Amino acid sequence: MNPVRTAEQAGVMECPQCSAIHPRRRGGSACDRCGAALHLRKPDSLRRTWAFLLAAMALYLPANILPIMTTGTLLGSQTNTILSGVVYLWQDGSYFVAAVVFCASIVIPIFKLAVLLMLVITVQVRSIWRPVERTRLYGMVEAVGRWSMVDVFVVALLASLVRLDALATVRPEPGAIAFGAVVVLTMLASMSFDPRLIWDPLDAHDKQA
């Protein structure tokens, strides 16, 4: 990879809000243009990302083991976890809805947790392994994060579908709270991570070369 002069090497830094350029020595002060705090990197980025990520990982298991909702009809009641709900929808012939629920509630959260875990570990050990690919993966997590509330929307959609049945009732269970917390915590972990940290070890490596 050809060496590229970075903002840090040029002795400048960018305002995170208005993109104004300031001398690096202004770190910790306020931007003259918009008043935002100036930092060369997000303060305590790794520690905050680790905290949100570990909390999300701890809640992911109960989010999938605990029941997420109980549905009741004149014929009785049924309690479902996320996975049993997917199986129920598939067996009922609602293949598209089952696929959406499976991707939004199981595949995407695992993908976000796995990528964020890989990113914080590689940054922690100052790895120079495939920085371009890791930056792209972070971009994918950010893009998916914008649609994270789809997971919650799917739960609401399920409740709506059940309510279409005559005299049906829906009661949320503890799994729904854990699942919502996982969604919010992964979004906070992604927002706390500073992707520029991926490139910092590479800059140090170039200086030594």
Side-chain angles (χ1 to χ4, degrees):
M1 184 180 298
N2 295 327
V4 176
R5 194 180 189 199
T6 65
E8 181 182 4
Q9 293 167 349
V12 297
M13 60 192 306
E14 182 186 34
C15 172
Q17 299 297 328
C18 67
S19 300
I21 301 299
H22 298 274
R24 185 181 173 184
R25 63 176 182 277
R26 291 284 309 280
S29 62
C31 174
D32 297 331
R33 189 182 188 190
C34 67
L38 298 174
H39 297 286
L40 195 60
R41 299 289 181 266
K42 292 180 181 177
D44 299 322
S45 172
L46 268 187
R47 281 193 293 180
R48 288 189 290 121
T49 305
W50 268 117
F52 290 129
L53 182 60
L54 291 176
M57 292 172 69
L59 286 172
Y60 184 75
L61 194 60
N64 282 275
I65 292 177
L66 294 176
I68 196 166
M69 69 171 64
T70 296
T71 58
T73 65
L74 292 176
L75 302 177
S77 63
Q78 181 176 356
T79 300
N80 282 305
T81 63
I82 293 175
L83 193 56
S84 68
V86 172
V87 173
Y88 174 80
L89 287 169
W90 188 269
Q91 292 176 340
D92 194 48
S94 303
Y95 302 120
F96 176 74
V97 178
V100 170
V101 173
F102 181 75
C103 290
S105 304
I106 295 180
V107 175
I108 291 177
I110 289 178
F111 169 76
K112 290 191 296 185
L113 291 172
V115 170
L116 286 171
L117 181 63
M118 182 271 292
L119 288 176
V120 292
I121 289 177
T122 53
V123 167
Q124 189 90 52
V125 301
R126 299 186 63 78
S127 169
I128 59 172
W129 175 72
R130 295 183 180 274
V132 175
E133 288 79 2
R134 284 187 287 152
T135 303
R136 287 176 180 165
L137 278 175
Y138 175 73
M140 291 174 66
V141 170
E142 280 283 275
V144 170
R146 298 170 187 170
W147 298 94
S148 292
M149 293 309 292
V150 168
D151 307 0
V152 179
F153 172 74
V154 166
V155 175
L157 177 64
L158 275 175
S160 301
L161 289 174
V162 172
R163 282 182 185 279
L164 291 176
D165 292 335
L167 301 177
T169 61
V170 177
R171 186 175 69 247
E173 299 291 350
I177 299 174
F179 186 77
V182 171
V183 172
V184 173
L185 287 167
T186 51
M187 290 176 68
L188 291 173
S190 174
M191 293 168 60
S192 301
F193 184 76
D194 192 333
R196 292 171 296 188
L197 295 174
I198 296 174
W199 296 89
D200 284 349
L202 206 68
D203 294 340
H205 182 267
D206 290 342
K207 288 178 182 176
Q208 294 173 359

